[in-house]
Amino acid sequence: MDFPNYWGLDLRLERTLPGLSIHLLRGGPAFAQPGAWQANAHIRSDYRHTVSGDLGAQYQVEDITGAVRENLNGGLQLRPPGPLALGLDGEVRHEINDRQYLTSEQVGDSTYYVLGHLDRREASVTVRADLALTPRLSLALYAQPFVSAGRFTGLKLAADPRAASYAARFDPLGPDRLTRPGGDSAVAVDVNRDGVSDFSFDEPNFQVVALRTNAVLRWDFLPGSTLFVVWQQSRENDAPHATLDLGRGLLDTFTAAGQNVFAVKVAYWLGL
């Protein structure tokens, strides 16, 4: 819907029917997945004004498991009279996945597909600033802190991917077959309960924090000729633990290890 005051509203309702996924087991047999309902809403203000913005939300719930996916995003733009323009965008995402693929292992003539119940949370903030110092000289700034964390519980093997009962599609890994110390230690699986590990894989819990920062100075020193001076900073850290505190994670992006890149580019028009 578009209103006479140039505001806009988008509403959407989607239904995903139950079906077979040929991608879930990454090349393994097709897996029967439940259906799901998804609702989306997005509202935006009049972009012609000095201050404008938008806000969107998404909610999805899956049949049988009740697993949800939630997303909230929004932005604010400031374009006052003069040489400065500012933009701020943010997004928060929460996802529950009852059958997130982890790994597949070959033991003898059998292939075992390991899945897990994943609780994942993500957040990002994007800041933009454009400043026209003169008609030929401008400065653009960009920064985006990002954090993603996931915690796995209920590890299990794929048993009968097309079983009529959802529970029958899995073979849960109890403490008698699963050794999971946590931290940097590997996860070991004893499929046949003989006291000997049949295979192992890295601890799946994770937290990733990253910060991308750019500053670009542009100077059109002659018609058709431009000088670019660029500074870029990249910070990133990947840890095998799942701290789901997104606020703390965003602050950690500023202390993560990183590198700086400085570049100069000149485009000169020869006029031939």
Side-chain angles (χ1 to χ4, degrees), residues 2-9 43-54 76-79:
D2 292 309
F3 300 98
N5 61 358
Y6 286 90
W7 282 57
L9 177 65
I43 186 171
R44 58 190 183 278
S45 68
D46 186 354
Y47 62 88
R48 303 172 302 168
H49 290 176
T50 300
V51 179
S52 62
D54 67 285
L76 187 66
Q77 294 78 43
L78 178 63
R79 299 183 182 89

Coordinates of all heavy atoms in Angstrom, one line a residue, residues 2-9 43-54 76-79:
D2 N 0.5 2.2 -0.9 CA 1.2 3.5 -0.9 C 0.1 4.6 -0.6 O -0.9 4.6 -1.2 CB 1.8 3.8 -2.3 CG 2.9 2.9 -2.6 OD1 3.9 2.8 -1.7 OD2 2.9 2.2 -3.7
F3 N 0.5 5.4 0.4 CA -0.5 6.4 0.9 C -0.2 7.7 0.3 O 0.8 8.0 -0.3 CB -0.4 6.5 2.5 CG -0.7 5.2 3.2 CD1 0.4 4.4 3.6 CD2 -2.0 4.8 3.4 CE1 0.1 3.2 4.2 CE2 -2.2 3.6 4.0 CZ -1.2 2.8 4.4
P4 N -1.3 8.6 0.3 CA -1.1 10.0 -0.3 C 0.1 10.8 0.3 O 0.6 11.7 -0.3 CB -2.5 10.6 0.0 CG -3.4 9.5 0.1 CD -2.6 8.4 0.8
N5 N 0.5 10.5 1.6 CA 1.6 11.2 2.2 C 2.9 10.6 1.9 O 3.9 10.9 2.5 CB 1.4 11.3 3.7 CG 1.3 9.9 4.4 OD1 1.4 8.9 3.7 ND2 1.2 9.9 5.7
Y6 N 3.0 9.6 0.9 CA 4.2 9.0 0.5 C 4.7 8.0 1.5 O 5.9 7.5 1.3 CB 5.2 10.0 0.0 CG 4.9 10.7 -1.3 CD1 4.2 11.9 -1.3 CD2 5.3 10.1 -2.5 CE1 3.9 12.5 -2.5 CE2 5.1 10.8 -3.7 CZ 4.3 12.0 -3.7 OH 4.0 12.6 -4.8
W7 N 4.0 7.6 2.5 CA 4.4 6.5 3.3 C 3.9 5.2 2.6 O 3.1 5.2 1.7 CB 3.7 6.6 4.7 CG 4.3 7.6 5.6 CD1 4.5 8.9 5.4 CD2 4.8 7.3 6.9 NE1 5.1 9.5 6.5 CE2 5.3 8.5 7.4 CE3 4.9 6.2 7.7 CZ2 5.9 8.6 8.7 CZ3 5.5 6.3 9.0 CH2 6.0 7.5 9.4
G8 N 4.6 4.1 3.0 CA 4.2 2.8 2.4 C 4.2 1.7 3.4 O 4.9 1.7 4.4
L9 N 3.4 0.7 3.1 CA 3.2 -0.4 4.0 C 3.1 -1.7 3.1 O 2.3 -1.8 2.2 CB 1.9 -0.3 4.8 CG 1.6 -1.4 5.8 CD1 2.7 -1.6 6.8 CD2 0.2 -1.2 6.4
I43 N 7.2 -1.1 7.0 CA 6.6 0.2 6.8 C 7.8 1.2 6.5 O 8.9 1.1 7.1 CB 5.9 0.6 8.1 CG1 5.2 2.0 7.9 CG2 6.7 0.7 9.3 CD1 4.2 2.3 9.0
R44 N 7.5 2.2 5.7 CA 8.5 3.2 5.3 C 7.9 4.5 5.3 O 6.7 4.7 4.9 CB 9.1 2.8 3.9 CG 8.1 2.8 2.8 CD 8.7 2.2 1.5 NE 7.7 2.2 0.5 CZ 6.8 1.3 0.3 NH1 6.7 0.3 1.1 NH2 5.9 1.3 -0.7
S45 N 8.7 5.5 5.7 CA 8.2 6.9 5.7 C 8.5 7.6 4.4 O 9.1 7.1 3.5 CB 8.8 7.7 6.9 OG 10.2 7.9 6.7
D46 N 8.1 8.9 4.3 CA 8.3 9.7 3.1 C 9.8 10.0 3.0 O 10.4 10.7 3.8 CB 7.5 11.0 3.3 CG 7.6 11.8 2.0 OD1 8.3 11.5 1.1 OD2 6.8 12.9 1.9
Y47 N 10.4 9.5 2.0 CA 11.9 9.6 1.8 C 12.3 11.0 1.3 O 13.4 11.4 1.3 CB 12.4 8.6 0.7 CG 11.8 8.8 -0.6 CD1 12.3 9.7 -1.6 CD2 10.6 8.1 -1.0 CE1 11.8 9.8 -2.8 CE2 10.1 8.3 -2.3 CZ 10.6 9.1 -3.2 OH 10.1 9.3 -4.4
R48 N 11.3 11.9 1.0 CA 11.6 13.2 0.5 C 11.9 14.2 1.7 O 12.5 15.3 1.5 CB 10.4 13.8 -0.2 CG 10.0 13.0 -1.5 CD 8.7 13.6 -2.0 NE 7.7 13.6 -1.0 CZ 6.5 14.2 -1.2 NH1 6.3 14.9 -2.3 NH2 5.6 14.2 -0.2
H49 N 11.6 13.8 2.9 CA 11.8 14.6 4.1 C 13.3 14.6 4.6 O 14.0 13.7 4.2 CB 10.9 14.2 5.2 CG 9.4 14.5 5.0 ND1 8.4 14.1 5.8 CD2 8.8 15.2 3.9 CE1 7.3 14.5 5.3 NE2 7.5 15.2 4.2
T50 N 13.6 15.5 5.4 CA 15.0 15.6 5.9 C 15.3 14.3 6.7 O 16.4 13.8 6.7 CB 15.1 16.8 6.8 OG1 14.9 18.0 6.1 CG2 16.5 16.9 7.5
V51 N 14.3 13.8 7.5 CA 14.5 12.6 8.3 C 13.5 11.6 7.7 O 12.3 11.9 7.6 CB 14.2 12.9 9.8 CG1 14.4 11.5 10.5 CG2 15.2 13.9 10.3
S52 N 14.0 10.4 7.4 CA 13.1 9.4 6.9 C 13.6 8.0 7.5 O 14.7 7.9 7.9 CB 13.1 9.3 5.4 OG 14.4 9.0 4.8
G53 N 12.8 7.0 7.4 CA 13.2 5.7 7.9 C 12.3 4.6 7.5 O 11.3 4.8 6.8
D54 N 12.6 3.4 7.9 CA 11.8 2.3 7.6 C 12.0 1.3 8.7 O 13.0 1.3 9.5 CB 12.2 1.6 6.3 CG 13.6 1.1 6.3 OD1 14.6 1.8 6.3 OD2 13.7 -0.2 6.4
L76 N 17.4 4.6 9.5 CA 17.1 6.0 9.7 C 18.0 6.8 8.8 O 19.3 6.6 8.8 CB 17.3 6.4 11.1 CG 16.8 7.8 11.5 CD1 15.3 7.9 11.4 CD2 17.2 8.1 13.0
Q77 N 17.5 7.7 8.0 CA 18.3 8.5 7.1 C 18.1 10.0 7.4 O 16.9 10.4 7.6 CB 17.9 8.3 5.6 CG 18.3 6.9 5.1 CD 17.3 5.8 5.5 OE1 16.1 6.0 5.5 NE2 17.8 4.6 5.9
L78 N 19.2 10.7 7.5 CA 19.2 12.1 7.8 C 19.8 12.9 6.6 O 21.0 12.7 6.4 CB 19.9 12.4 9.1 CG 20.0 13.9 9.5 CD1 18.6 14.4 9.8 CD2 20.9 14.0 10.8
R79 N 19.0 13.7 5.9 CA 19.5 14.5 4.8 C 19.2 16.0 5.0 O 18.3 16.5 4.4 CB 19.0 14.0 3.5 CG 19.3 12.5 3.2 CD 18.7 12.1 1.8 NE 19.0 10.8 1.5 CZ 18.2 9.7 1.8 NH1 17.1 10.0 2.5 NH2 18.5 8.5 1.5

